[in-house]
Structures are given as structure tokens and as C-alpha cells.
Amino acid sequence: MALSAFLNVNGYDYPCPRYGFQYVLSTPVNAGRNVNAAFIGQRVNRDLYKFDSLQWVGLDPSVRRMILQSLEPFTVPVTFEDYRTGNPITITMYPGDRTGKPLFADELTHMVTKDEILAFNLVDCGW
């Protein structure tokens, strides 16, 4: 199966984000270290995914709206390439704080016509 986009979030294909995002895999454990600083934990559940520092530059308002609407109802299915296998994977994720920075606005309507940046993280729900 081929991917239709870099990320598909809740059925919406996203454009490729700006260079610099990070793909994070976290392995949850049930404990940390003992008094001798020796690791005593055991792996629980599966590895968790995170897309850290996703950013898009110069978006048109229609694309920004599509991206933000795709994040409703907060926990959403996300399809992407699993870096370990090279195959598509779909998991449920939630967005971190969504940050937008307008670049241009229409002088008459005062509506944003171009975004400087839209940024957020996508975090695995672990389900």
C-alpha cells in the first residue's frame, strides 16, 4: 500500500512540513532505576510515536483551515511511514498546542491571506 501524502490526518492529506521536524519513538517502561542506579524497568505496551516541531511556512488560509479542521475531534487517526519498516502505519494521535503566525492580511477585510507559520506536535495516544 502506498501513502497518499507525507501525513494523512483524519482523512486529510497534509503537505510536507518544513525541514527540521523530528520523528520520535519512545519506549514506555514501568519503572526507572533502583538506588544503585541500575535499570529495573520493564517495557510496557508498544513504542509510542511523536512528530515534534511540525511546521508549515507560507500556507494559504484554505490549507491552514484544512489542517486545523482535520484535528477535530482532537484524537484523530494519523497515517504515515513507519521509519522502522518503511510501511504505512495508522495510529491515533492528538495535537499539541497549535501555533499560527499571520504574514499578510487583506487591507479591506482584515482577513489573513498568507501565514508565515503554522506549527504543532502530533503525539501518540498509545491506544
Side-chain angles (χ1 to χ4, degrees):
M1 176 173 95
L3 292 170
S4 59
F6 175 77
L7 285 173
N8 181 285
V9 178
N10 203 14
Y12 294 85
D13 285 342
Y14 279 22
C16 199
R18 175 183 187 175
Y19 172 80
F21 78 91
Q22 295 180 31
Y23 182 93
V24 180
L25 274 173
S26 297
T27 303
V29 295
N30 65 357
R33 299 184 179 275
N34 64 17
V35 295
N36 296 322
F39 175 73
I40 58 170
Q42 293 181 357
R43 178 186 181 125
V44 294
N45 204 348
R46 60 169 175 80
D47 285 340
L48 301 176
Y49 298 82
K50 180 179 181 182
F51 286 100
D52 196 23
S53 303
L54 290 168
Q55 296 184 359
W56 292 267
V57 177
L59 290 178
D60 290 328
S62 61
V63 177
R64 173 193 7 100
R65 282 191 297 272
M66 177 273 299
I67 289 173
L68 293 175
Q69 287 170 359
S70 74
L71 299 172
E72 298 298 331
F74 191 64
T75 58
V76 292
V78 178
T79 302
F80 57 94
E81 177 190 352
D82 184 342
Y83 277 27
R84 297 174 302 174
T85 66
N87 295 317
I89 184 174
T90 301
I91 60 172
T92 303
M93 302 181 94
Y94 66 91
D97 293 342
R98 277 94 49 215
T99 303
K101 198 186 250 188
L103 183 61
F104 298 117
D106 184 279
E107 291 181 13
L108 297 175
T109 65
H110 306 289
M111 299 296 291
V112 174
T113 59
K114 187 71 79 173
D115 290 313
E116 181 178 342
I117 213 160
L118 174 65
F120 56 90
N121 303 324
L122 284 172
V123 183
D124 191 337
C125 290
W127 302 340

